[in-house]
Amino acid sequence: MSALYAYTMNTTLGEKIRELRDKKDMSLRDFAKKLGDVSAAHISDIELGRRYPSDSLLVKIASLLDVSVEELKKFDCRAPVDEIKRLVQSDPAFGFAFRTLVDKKITPEDIIKLGENKPDRGKR
Amino acid sequence: MRSYRSNAGPFNERPYYTADEIERICVDSLRVVGLYPDSPESIRIDRFIEKRFKVVPEYEDLGPGVLGMAKFGNNGVQGIVVAKSLDDENSKTNERRIRSTLAHEGGHGLLHAHLFAFAADRLLFGENTPSGPVVLCRDISGSAKSSKYSGQWWELQANMAIGSLLMPRALVLKAISKYLVPSGQLGLNVMSQEKRGDAVNELADLFDVNPIVASIRIGEMFPENRSGQMSL
């Protein structure tokens, strides 16, 4: 397992945002003020992993922290539950495949390794 | 700092700090994290909390009358929480109240964390000792007049830290030097009664605190009833 992979897997989006904010020596309240229409309480919840930012807020956060949205999204470890549901409903083979993942106790590392060798969906 | 055994209150030890000791602890702590300014200006208290205690301030519904709380564990401060209601209402007064609350909780962190270091071995709150982190709260009744002593010495000490963290003595003296006049044979500086209001307003603006906080700080540094006694 690469060090970068381990870091990404062990760091939440909130922790990453806090780390980048710390590097810029911005307090949480300063950060919220600079983001505009968002409360310090909301940012605190995001950093503590109690909620996730909307796409539009994530764009603002990324811009203020001088990173790309894609870079931040690497730390969003939520499972895309809705998309998985849609896939299973549209093709039963996906259901079988997911069941196999669970039964065979396939590790997240194996799945990511498999994914890295495939082109992004939608770009085929 | 001296410590006394205590049979009353939640702790079996009672630390006693002089005002000078609290001032020194607060100023040193600000310096250590690089947040003690060169000239009088608003102290970045929220950043201080983050850098000194390595916690992100949380905002939660704390119930009526409670402005903030500090959570302690065996390793010191585990969290600092501010009443969400203060953050909801976007006003200068509330913004400054948040600053005071953070300073108060920071005061607990600086002055009282050691009392929780062996919490696992002690029954801090009698039968009501919580299993998780232990908390100290700041409520409205204790926030208005910080100098009033109601038996809760830990709250009084944390209130004293508000002044030292948000308005360090040396910076206050620089800021209000024009309001001071030498008095008596020793030439000790006193503040005249008629200039107090102006000094309070200037300090409140400069250090971004509510006037009541500035007033208490000036009252601590230049007690009103002493100005007449300085004439030797």
Side-chain angles (χ1 to χ4, degrees):
Chain A
M1 194 180 353
S2 73
L4 177 64
Y5 168 70
Y7 170 69
T8 311
M9 288 298 286
N10 293 319
T11 306
T12 66
L13 176 64
E15 286 167 348
K16 184 65 185 173
I17 290 171
R18 185 185 173 191
E19 179 193 315
L20 293 168
R21 176 173 67 74
D22 265 338
K23 278 186 186 159
K24 292 199 166 279
D25 193 28
M26 259 189 285
S27 74
L28 188 121
R29 298 193 69 77
D30 291 340
F31 189 48
K33 271 181 206 154
K34 285 182 180 168
L35 284 169
D37 193 21
V38 57
S39 67
H42 189 84
I43 299 297
S44 171
D45 281 350
I46 289 171
E47 290 195 0
L48 293 166
R50 293 171 182 167
R51 59 166 77 179
Y52 278 83
S54 63
D55 284 347
S56 59
L57 181 57
L58 194 64
V59 170
K60 284 187 190 175
I61 289 172
S63 165
L64 198 53
L65 296 176
D66 291 327
V67 289
S68 66
V69 174
E70 289 70 32
E71 175 65 22
L72 287 182
K73 277 190 172 171
K74 282 182 196 165
F75 296 88
D76 184 351
C77 49
R78 290 172 297 172
V81 176
D82 288 341
E83 197 167 349
I84 290 171
K85 270 188 196 166
R86 189 184 56 75
L87 285 172
V88 171
Q89 281 165 0
S90 67
D91 185 349
F94 273 111
F96 179 73
F98 289 130
R99 173 54 53 199
T100 306
L101 290 180
V102 175
D103 290 345
K104 300 275 184 187
K105 296 192 173 128
I106 293 180
T107 65
E109 289 88 342
D110 289 336
I111 300 171
I112 288 172
K113 214 176 280 176
L114 182 69
E116 280 171 350
N117 295 328
K118 293 280 178 191
D120 288 346
R121 281 199 300 126
K123 291 183 183 175
R124 274 182 283 192
Chain B
M1 189 260 285
R2 280 174 287 171
S3 280
Y4 299 97
R5 280 175 181 270
S6 173
N7 295 323
F11 308 99
N12 54 15
E13 177 189 330
R14 174 182 173 169
Y16 172 78
Y17 298 93
T18 64
D20 284 345
E21 284 172 333
I22 291 177
E23 182 76 17
R24 195 166 56 245
I25 290 168
C26 291
V27 167
D28 285 350
S29 301
L30 286 168
R31 284 210 168 99
V32 163
V33 293
L35 290 172
Y36 185 86
D38 295 331
S39 54
E41 63 182 62
S42 171
I43 301 289
R44 298 174 64 202
I45 190 68
D46 45 349
R47 191 72 185 126
F48 170 76
I49 295 292
E50 293 178 21
K51 289 181 85 172
R52 175 64 180 76
F53 303 113
K54 309 270 187 274
V55 296
V56 176
E58 300 166 55
Y59 295 82
E60 288 176 9
D61 293 321
L62 296 178
V66 181
L67 301 175
M69 68 180 191
K71 298 183 207 171
F72 292 90
N74 289 355
N75 294 323
V77 175
Q78 284 193 347
I80 286 190
V81 188
V82 175
K84 197 166 176 294
S85 55
L86 291 179
D87 191 50
D88 288 342
E89 196 186 312
N90 197 9
S91 69
K92 194 173 172 181
T93 303
N94 271 7
E95 182 68 33
R96 289 174 166 180
R97 219 165 189 191
I98 289 173
R99 287 172 51 72
S100 302
T101 300
L102 288 170
H104 175 97
E105 304 307 338
H108 279 312
L110 294 176
L111 305 174
H112 305 134
H114 69 284
L115 297 170
F116 297 89
F118 305 107
D121 304 320
R122 296 176 184 178
L123 216 52
L124 288 174
F125 291 87
E127 290 176 0
N128 298 321
T129 303
S131 55
V134 189
V135 301
L136 291 178
C137 295
R138 181 187 190 215
D139 59 25
I140 286 174
S141 63
S143 68
K145 275 284 179 188
S146 71
S147 56
K148 207 158 190 175
Y149 179 67
S150 59
Q152 295 188 321
W153 50 266
W154 55 94
E155 295 303 323
L156 179 71
Q157 291 173 352
N159 280 341
M160 288 168 75
I162 294 178
S164 298
L165 283 172
L166 294 180
M167 289 170 286
R169 186 187 302 266
L171 297 178
V172 170
L173 287 173
K174 268 189 198 174
I176 59 168
S177 57
K178 64 185 172 193
Y179 297 107
L180 302 176
V181 286
S183 174
Q185 288 182 336
L186 296 177
L188 296 175
N189 283 328
V190 294
M191 183 177 286
S192 62
Q193 192 59 39
E194 60 270 21
K195 288 183 177 173
R196 260 171 208 273
D198 291 341
V200 164
N201 290 334
E202 186 161 336
L203 271 193
D205 287 343
L206 204 51
F207 290 97
D208 197 13
V209 296
N210 281 321
I212 181 71
V213 177
S215 174
I216 290 169
R217 185 60 165 156
I218 287 183
E220 284 168 1
M221 291 173 64
F222 303 98
E224 289 184 45
N225 55 358
R226 291 228 189 115
S227 58
Q229 297 175 11
M230 290 297 176
S231 305
L232 295 173

